[in-house]
Amino acid sequence: MSFINLIAIDGPAASGKSTLAELIANKLNYFFFDTGVMYRAVTLAALEQVKNLDDEAKVTDVANRIRIDVQPASVQDGRVMDILVDGRDVTWQIRTPEVDRKVSKVSAYAGVRKAMTEQQRRIGERGNMVMVGRDIGTVVFPDAKYKIYLEASPEERARRRFVEVQKRGEPTSYEDILASIRKRDEVDSSRAVAPLKPADDAHVIDSDGKNIDIVLEEALQILGNPVS
Ligand code: DC
């Protein structure tokens, strides 16, 4: 099966995947779906409902139980969309440093990934979609016709994330963000299930030192050249 109208964009934390995906989606009039919000939503719910996140069975149970919804933005506060967990707006709560620190652990659990992957496949089958994550081109939609893997150095990504967090007025430091990004890279790339890596047939874009216009141009060229 070939998903001609599904564009998979994978890459490490804060590599600019969502910004790129949003621009592509606007240009092509496609839906934009960031699967990272689902793992973040499970992590937030697990932090609230389970004392010990080392308890894989309990965290997996949370993943299977909660209802995650993504809807058009209802508030003009910089959000791209509303993220709801069991009807509660958690759009900004899933972006806290605490969720950043814990999300890699939660997303390494096989049962959590199974639950999220099933939901993502259902959503992606609607078509006309740019789907962003870590394993979209390798696991969720290995037959996607278009696959982009967006890279950038940890330092560049930490700088970008630092500016974002500062804009929201949250207390943080560049060093803490860099350490958190390095840690997440390590956990995301070394986990047993669906580790972060480019699909064999993905087009890799390195965004270090490039502004978003240049990255978008490279991506649009790739989209004119489907993977063989
Ligand atoms: O893209 P992000 O930083 O919002 O993603 C949060 C975490 O979710 C990230 O550390 C890894 C995980 N993730 C994943 O394992 N698979 C995906 N398809 C998307 C995100």
Side-chain angles (χ1 to χ4, degrees), residues 14 25 29 42 45 81 96 107 132 134 141 193 195:
N29 207 15
V42 173
M81 48 187 67
T96 61
S107 54
V132 171
R134 300 293 190 290
F141 285 107
V193 189

Side-chain angles (χ1 to χ4, degrees), residues 35-36 39-40 103-104 107 113 133-135 184 188 191:
T35 59
Y39 291 97
R40 288 173 176 276
V103 66
S104 285
S107 54
R113 299 207 70 81
R134 300 293 190 290
D135 60 342
R184 274 215 279 158
D188 292 347
R191 68 181 174 221

Side-chain angles (χ1 to χ4, degrees), residues 1 20 31 39 41 44 52 54 56 58 60 63-64 69 71 76 88 107 118 151 164 171 177-178 190 193 220:
M1 209 185 322
L20 175 65
F31 295 103
Y39 291 97
L44 178 70
N52 181 4
D54 291 331
E56 182 168 348
K58 284 207 174 125
T60 302
N64 284 316
D69 285 309
Q71 291 179 358
Q76 298 303 310
R88 181 167 61 109
S107 54
E118 278 167 12
E151 275 183 341
E164 264 173 46
I177 291 181
L178 179 60
S190 61
V193 189
L220 291 175

Side-chain angles (χ1 to χ4, degrees), residues 16 28 45 76 85 98-99 114 116 118 147 153 169 198 203 211:
L28 303 181
Q76 298 303 310
V85 169
E98 193 184 14
V99 171
K114 184 167 179 285
M116 298 301 111
E118 278 167 12
K147 298 181 186 178
S153 66
H203 294 270
N211 68 29

Side-chain angles (χ1 to χ4, degrees), residues 114-133:
K114 184 167 179 285
M116 298 301 111
T117 298
E118 278 167 12
Q119 293 201 36
Q120 288 156 18
R121 287 190 177 138
R122 230 183 350 260
I123 292 165
E125 275 157 18
R126 290 184 210 153
N128 288 3
M129 184 159 303
V130 188
M131 192 174 276
V132 171

